[in-house]
Amino acid sequence: MAFSRITKATVFMALFIMVSGLFSVILSQNIEEGGNANGTDNAERQRPERVISIDQYRPVAVTDPRISVTGLNFDRRYAMNGTGEFLDVVFYVNNLTSEDIRLRAYVVAAYETDTVDEDLREWIPYPVWRNRDFAEERVMTHHIAITPGNINKDVIWDVNDADYVEYKTMINRMRNSIAGDRPIPEMYPPLWKYLQYINTYPENGLLFTLYGDKSPPVTEAVQSNYVAPTPEEMRKKIFHNLDAHTYTLEHTRRKTIFRSHHYSNFRAYYRFFNTVAIMIFDDVRMQEYIRQRDAGEVPAGERVINPLIYKKIFQIDIPESKN
């Protein structure tokens, strides 16, 4: 009889956990469809002026007749100290004019997935009667590395951003689910928020000159932020500035060979980059754009300046190196 009571108690507890998990999934799916746990709409939350919303973002590619980007290539290599891997993004920026053009560039590498919790789905499948799986439509960024330098995610979003609250809810649900037996990494803002932030504040991009008919001086033919290892680092084979090397540019007549280096450290739930975005701005136009932006409005009779002259996003899948 005691054994029977224990068995019944075990079955009851299992059923309770399953029902609780199912309730949490249904509740979370209601949140994903536009509501939240308190039954209020996300649009009713306070949205400060600095919040980056999806209606501001333009996903279309941008090109300019003065330049062309060719020879795009992606290379995956191990860091020499064994702490991670690098993604090298290599491409040519060609000058289709005879004049020098001053440009600013960003290259953004990210690892993105949808927001489906595969472990939880093994326990509680998605309802077959639902026509749309909202978790498959949302994208979550798990790691990001930017050339010329990373952007603090705290300037992209905060607790006043409805997207932040929504994504934080999803992360916490994964960590607290009945199938939560693996580490859930910290989240980053969606890639589109980074790109929209860069589009609004492009002044910290990598400044370089795309030379025209006249070749660059020998002293300016190579542009890089490489930090050479110290003798002590060479002796111990421990290098502290590997991830600080984010770009190497080679300038020639009417062409720049652009190499950006994106570091991904080995960590729990490790995945390599699968998305790359390239954004190039005209530096002369950018100065006028900043004047308009900081003024808050475009003076009468002036046209809105857009300094962005190249933008493309690439999906990549690079297998692990065998070397």
Side-chain angles (χ1 to χ4, degrees):
M1 293 178 63
F3 176 78
S4 178
R5 285 196 295 269
I6 293 174
T7 302
K8 291 179 179 179
T10 303
V11 171
F12 175 79
M13 182 59 69
L15 289 173
F16 176 78
I17 292 173
M18 292 292 288
V19 171
S20 299
L22 179 60
F23 176 77
S24 65
V25 170
I26 294 174
L27 178 61
S28 64
Q29 288 167 354
N30 287 334
I31 294 174
E32 291 175 356
E33 291 175 7
N36 59 40
N38 297 322
T40 59
D41 188 66
N42 289 339
E44 294 177 1
R45 295 194 183 102
Q46 180 182 4
R47 301 179 69 91
E49 289 184 358
R50 78 183 200 90
V51 168
I52 302 172
S53 61
I54 190 64
D55 57 353
Q56 299 170 332
Y57 176 63
R58 298 294 178 266
V60 297
V62 177
T63 58
D64 187 280
R66 295 175 298 161
I67 69 169
S68 67
V69 174
T70 60
L72 183 64
N73 188 45
F74 305 100
D75 184 46
R76 180 176 183 174
R77 59 183 170 90
Y78 287 112
M80 61 190 301
N81 60 0
T83 59
E85 295 179 284
F86 278 96
L87 170 66
D88 295 325
V89 182
V90 185
F91 54 92
Y92 303 146
V93 185
N94 305 287
N95 191 343
L96 304 182
T97 75
S98 297
E99 306 298 325
D100 295 353
I101 307 175
R102 286 171 58 87
L103 302 173
R104 288 186 183 267
Y106 285 90
V107 182
V108 184
Y111 170 59
E112 297 182 307
T113 66
D114 58 30
T115 60
V116 174
D117 187 346
E118 297 291 351
D119 292 337
L120 182 59
R121 290 286 174 89
E122 290 184 3
W123 285 77
I124 307 175
Y126 191 78
V128 295
W129 49 266
R130 288 184 180 268
N131 294 325
R132 294 176 61 186
D133 189 344
F134 289 89
E136 289 184 347
E137 298 177 9
R138 287 180 170 81
V139 178
M140 183 176 294
T141 302
H142 302 278
H143 186 63
I144 196 161
I146 303 174
T147 294
N150 288 331
I151 300 173
N152 190 334
K153 63 183 179 181
D154 293 337
V155 305
I156 305 292
W157 66 357
D158 59 16
V159 295
N160 295 310
D161 189 330
D163 294 323
Y164 174 89
V165 175
E166 181 179 6
Y167 277 76
K168 195 69 175 178
T169 300
M170 286 190 288
I171 286 289
N172 290 336
R173 186 177 70 248
M174 292 179 184
R175 289 172 175 166
N176 297 327
S177 75
I178 58 175
D181 59 350
R182 60 177 172 82
I184 303 297
E186 196 55 56
M187 64 176 180
Y188 289 82
L191 178 61
W192 65 263
K193 279 187 180 283
Y194 277 96
L195 301 187
Q196 182 58 33
Y197 179 86
I198 291 171
N199 194 69
T200 306
Y201 303 99
E203 51 263 43
N204 292 323
L206 175 59
L207 177 63
F208 68 99
T209 299
L210 182 60
Y211 289 91
D213 287 341
K214 185 177 180 181
S215 299
V218 175
T219 56
E220 298 178 9
V222 178
Q223 180 180 347
S224 178
N225 65 342
Y226 174 70
V227 179
T230 64
E232 183 69 8
E233 289 177 327
M234 291 297 294
R235 184 178 69 83
K236 294 183 176 180
K237 303 301 180 183
I238 299 176
F239 306 97
H240 301 290
N241 296 305
L242 284 177
D243 57 340
H245 182 206
T246 59
Y247 62 85
T248 303
L249 279 63
E250 296 179 48
H251 303 293
T252 63
R253 176 180 176 270
R254 299 181 64 180
K255 178 184 293 186
T256 291
I257 305 174
F258 197 114
R259 295 181 175 90
S260 63
H261 316 294
H262 307 268
Y263 178 66
S264 181
N265 61 299
F266 292 134
R267 58 198 180 277
Y269 193 59
Y270 177 76
R271 298 292 188 277
F272 198 60
F273 301 109
N274 60 7
T275 307
V276 172
I278 301 174
M279 300 179 71
I280 302 176
F281 299 84
D282 183 306
D283 187 64
V284 175
R285 292 184 191 174
M286 189 194 70
Q287 305 306 322
E288 179 61 21
Y289 160 78
I290 292 174
R291 184 185 68 82
Q292 291 183 351
R293 182 196 67 195
D294 295 346
E297 60 181 11
V298 180
E302 292 189 12
R303 66 185 183 90
V304 178
I305 297 296
N306 183 7
L308 182 64
I309 63 172
Y310 183 87
K311 173 188 172 184
K312 282 192 178 179
I313 302 173
F314 306 89
Q315 302 299 318
I316 64 174
D317 182 12
I318 307 178
E320 183 178 355
S321 175
K322 302 301 182 181
N323 298 326

